Amino acid sequence: MANLTQGYIRRGLYIGRFQPYHLGHQAVLRKISEEVAEIVIVIGSAQSSHTMENPFTAGERIAMIYEALSDLRNRCYVIPLEDVQRNAVWVSHLISMVPRFDTVYSNNLLVVQLFSEVGIVVRKPPMFRRDVYSGTAIRKLMLDGGNWRNLVPVPVASVIEEIDGVTRLANIFEEDSTQ
Ligand code: ATP
Ligand code: MG
């Protein structure tokens, strides 16, 4: 793990919307945890909630992530980040909101492009069973009454159940389709 020589702490940054946090995210974070001492997890589109694409609030997503990572030895900072409507200033917006980091981990093409343009190293972690571990696929299963629970860490399923997340999603769908 940790490269803590001479007080320099290696930090990795992982960004996603985590709607919801699933086992694909968890697999990537476990891998990152072996490569860096500390992890900065950025919750993108933090201002969005109660929509089909973004049903959960930033606070709910923070709870999911902390519960799921409670056994990780690395220090994790979980930081919500609101969107800015100008991609050109998004990296500096992010940098102003998080502790210093060395490496970004992302597969999102726009994220990779924006960081690479300012010379920040981006690693692309391999996708882990993307056919099933996908936020979009999981939200669809929630709506269709399918088995979404085994696609998220157990504590995440509990958080979603506590907030009655599936009913919320169904209500949002209902509202969207009657407008
Ligand atoms: P959505 O379908 O809502 O976009 P998502 O599953 O893509 O959800 P995000 O929160 O958009 O999840 O993704 C955060 C990061 O996690 C992105 O870099 C994405 O490429 C990565 N990621 C998503 N699913 C997997 C997976 N199964 N294995 C590895 N990485 C993943
Ligand atoms: Mg995505």
Side-chain angles (χ1 to χ4, degrees), residues 14-18 22 24-25 28 106-108 126-128 130 133-136 139:
Y14 187 52
I15 178 149
R17 290 181 5 266
F18 308 115
H22 57 62
H25 301 136
V28 172
S106 179
N107 272 308
N108 181 291
M127 282 293 182
F128 189 70
R130 179 63 171 164
Y133 297 145
S134 134
T136 303
R139 294 192 299 277

Side-chain angles (χ1 to χ4, degrees), residues 14-137:
Y14 187 52
I15 178 149
R17 290 181 5 266
F18 308 115
Q19 294 282 10
Y21 182 87
H22 57 62
L23 289 171
H25 301 136
Q26 183 88 335
V28 172
L29 273 168
R30 291 215 181 277
K31 190 86 185 63
I32 296 173
S33 74
E34 293 165 10
E35 295 179 13
V36 295
E38 298 188 352
I39 307 174
V40 181
I41 301 166
V42 176
I43 300 189
S45 301
Q47 80 289 348
S48 291
S49 72
H50 296 79
T51 69
M52 292 296 290
E53 281 255 294
N54 292 294
F56 305 113
T57 66
E60 289 160 351
R61 290 177 271 164
I62 289 171
M64 291 177 203
I65 294 170
Y66 271 111
E67 291 296 332
L69 295 178
S70 59
D71 64 325
L72 217 64
R73 292 229 304 273
N74 313 58
R75 175 180 290 167
C76 294
Y77 304 82
V78 182
I79 300 176
L81 188 74
E82 293 187 17
D83 289 331
V84 285
Q85 299 311 319
R86 291 175 62 196
N87 290 335
V89 299
W90 180 79
V91 171
S92 42
H93 168 59
L94 178 142
I95 287 172
S96 76
M97 300 297 288
V98 304
R100 173 198 54 72
F101 55 90
D102 306 280
T103 310
V104 175
Y105 296 82
S106 179
N107 272 308
N108 181 291
L109 289 178
L110 180 61
V111 170
V112 173
Q113 177 73 28
L114 294 175
F115 278 114
S116 302
E117 281 181 15
V118 294
I120 294 173
V121 178
V122 184
R123 290 202 194 142
K124 297 179 191 153
M127 282 293 182
F128 189 70
R129 298 191 54 198
R130 179 63 171 164
D131 51 329
V132 284
Y133 297 145
S134 134
T136 303

